[in-house]
Amino acid sequence: MAPYPTTVYNPSSLAGHWTWSDNFFGRGIMLFYVFTEVAEATHDFWFSNKTYADIDATSDLVFGDGTFPMSKINEDEWDRVNSYVLRRIVYGDGTPHPVFWPKFLDWYKSTFPGLGIAVMSSNNDCIRRCQYLAPCAVCQPLCGVA
């Protein structure tokens, strides 16, 4: 919302806020992020106006200090210019989008047959790192509550 320019600090690294395919590649990306970012890290959107934003790279190690442009298509879609279209599949209250959620499920099932979706399950950075090295029975006493 106005006034512009404005910044939105998106907590996309928190538990349940981002997904990956539950395979070697997806788990590898998750492993990378738990050892290079903290759970409270934000994914910052720098809005010039209500229809255009530059997004900070999620990882300086991979993307440098770059930003990426996004422009609004409609209320449910944004064009990550020259890359992909970001579509709302779930509303903020957790209800599925009537058009894009079913399309997402169809795409996911055909792209990753038989695989689930992986998410970060904790905002505790110690738990997030420890789970790659040891079972929960070791991590929880060491790190505290998930």
Side-chain angles (χ1 to χ4, degrees), residues 47-125:
F47 282 88
S48 301
N49 55 51
K50 67 181 183 177
T51 63
Y52 181 86
D54 285 315
I55 307 166
D56 279 349
T58 56
S59 173
D60 293 344
L61 293 173
V62 176
F63 301 108
D65 290 331
T67 58
F68 304 101
M70 280 190 86
S71 65
K72 185 175 183 177
I73 298 170
N74 58 52
E75 291 303 311
D76 295 318
E77 298 175 296
W78 283 76
D79 181 14
R80 226 303 257 119
V81 180
N82 298 322
S83 186
Y84 58 86
V85 173
L86 178 66
R87 293 184 173 93
R88 178 194 318 264
I89 61 171
V90 178
Y91 291 102
D93 66 1
T95 59
H97 189 282
V99 174
F100 296 126
W101 177 251
K103 286 184 177 187
F104 168 74
L105 288 178
D106 289 344
W107 169 83
Y108 193 87
K109 289 174 185 175
S110 67
T111 305
F112 303 104
L115 293 178
I117 296 172
V119 297
M120 298 291 186
S121 60
S122 173
N123 292 328
N124 179 320
D125 288 316

Side-chain angles (χ1 to χ4, degrees), residues 124-146:
N124 179 320
D125 288 316
C126 179
I127 291 278
R128 287 165 77 142
R129 292 176 181 132
C130 184
Q131 71 182 357
Y132 282 95
L133 307 171
C136 291
V138 172
C139 294
Q140 288 176 345
L142 179 68
C143 297
V145 178

